[in-house]
Amino acid sequence: MTTFHQIQVKTAPKFPSVPSFSEKSQITKVRVCIYIPNSYLKEPVISRLISHHGLVVNIISAILGTTTGGEGRFDLEIRGTLSQISSGLNYLESLNLKIVGKPNVDGDSWSY
């Protein structure tokens, strides 16, 4: 599985994945924190993770408003197959969002 570190993406996707047949059907989960700039606050970014990439998204916490300088921050738990998660993360990267994440949430606290 890919490990996620604090990144700000401005290049090609960094989560390419060619899972084996058994990996394609195995459900897994990751936790990510995404920072959404003011220019995307009215876009259905999280909704598209669900509808376009077939992911189950649980919003652990969210911060919006003046305390974030007009930027939004979402702590998400994302569930799906490795290929679905890879596709969803590539979508977020294509928007040039800052993504911070952890690959395995079992027994892990939600802090960096």
Side-chain angles (χ1 to χ4, degrees):
M1 181 178 284
T2 305
T3 16
F4 303 107
H5 300 284
Q6 186 168 347
I7 55 174
Q8 181 137 15
V9 178
K10 294 190 181 187
T11 59
K14 296 193 186 300
F15 297 102
S17 175
V18 182
S20 68
F21 178 74
S22 63
E23 290 175 323
K24 286 182 181 180
S25 61
Q26 184 179 11
I27 301 296
T28 191
K29 60 186 170 180
V30 296
R31 282 196 177 177
V32 294
C33 178
I34 60 172
Y35 294 83
I36 300 180
N38 196 14
S39 59
Y40 282 112
L41 287 182
K42 295 188 180 199
E43 294 293 321
V45 174
I46 295 173
S47 176
R48 286 184 182 138
L49 285 175
I50 298 165
S51 63
H52 294 180
H53 303 282
L55 294 166
V56 175
V57 177
N58 183 19
I59 301 172
I60 305 297
S61 68
I63 299 173
L64 297 169
T66 57
T67 60
T68 61
E71 184 176 81
R73 183 183 121 198
F74 293 89
D75 295 335
L76 306 175
E77 180 181 271
I78 301 173
R79 292 178 190 232
T81 64
L82 291 176
S83 60
Q84 288 171 316
I85 291 172
S86 178
S87 175
L89 292 174
N90 284 332
Y91 159 67
L92 294 175
E93 285 185 327
S94 74
L95 300 176
N96 290 322
L97 301 181
K98 179 180 174 186
I99 306 167
V100 180
K102 291 186 173 183
N104 184 356
V105 298
D106 293 331
D108 201 357
S109 65
W110 183 242
S111 61
Y112 294 99

